[in-house]
Amino acid sequence: MKTRLAEIINTRGIEKRQIAKDLQIERRTLDNYVNEVTLMNSDIIKKLAQYFNVSTDYLLGVDRLEDDFLNTKIENICNELKEIVYHLQKK
C-alpha cells in the first residue's frame, strides 16, 4: 500500500533529492519514511506537512483530503468550466 507521503511526492512531481535537500535530510532517510522502514518523528512530520502545505493528519493518513494546493486547483478548474459554459450559452 502506498503511503500518503509517497502519494504527495508523486502528485507534486518534486524529486526526492530536492525534497531531502530542502528539508536538510539524507535522501536515504526520506526513502525510509516513504517506504515506512523508519517511523517519522514529530519534527519531521511537521516539516513535511509545512513543505507540502498539508495538515499533519492528512500526511499521516488520518483525515480526508484537506490539501489547500489541490483544493485551490479544483476551485480554479470549476471556475474555468463555469466561464466556458457561460460563453457557450451566449452563442
Side-chain angles (χ1 to χ4, degrees), residues 11 30 45 49-50 55 58 60 64 68 75 80 83-84:
T11 302
L30 179 61
I45 293 168
Q50 286 180 323
S55 70
Y58 177 76
L60 294 171
R64 293 180 301 136
D68 290 338
E75 186 176 336
E80 289 176 19
E83 180 124 359
I84 291 168

Side-chain angles (χ1 to χ4, degrees), residues 17-74:
R17 175 183 47 81
Q18 184 62 48
I19 296 166
K21 181 180 176 186
D22 292 344
L23 295 177
Q24 299 178 338
I25 61 174
E26 294 291 325
R27 162 70 193 271
R28 179 178 39 236
T29 302
L30 179 61
D31 286 336
N32 287 340
Y33 294 147
V34 169
N35 297 318
E36 294 184 318
V37 172
T38 304
L39 294 177
M40 298 181 281
N41 65 36
S42 60
D43 289 335
I44 195 66
I45 293 168
K46 287 189 257 183
K47 284 181 181 180
L48 286 164
Q50 286 180 323
Y51 186 84
F52 290 111
N53 194 30
V54 297
S55 70
T56 54
D57 282 349
Y58 177 76
L59 184 62
L60 294 171
V62 176
D63 69 354
R64 293 180 301 136
L65 179 65
E66 292 189 8
D67 181 333
D68 290 338
F69 173 81
L70 291 178
N71 287 336
T72 301
K73 287 285 192 188
I74 291 167

Side-chain angles (χ1 to χ4, degrees), residues 85-91:
V85 170
Y86 172 77
H87 288 290
L88 288 173
Q89 289 175 340
K90 285 179 74 176
K91 291 184 178 187

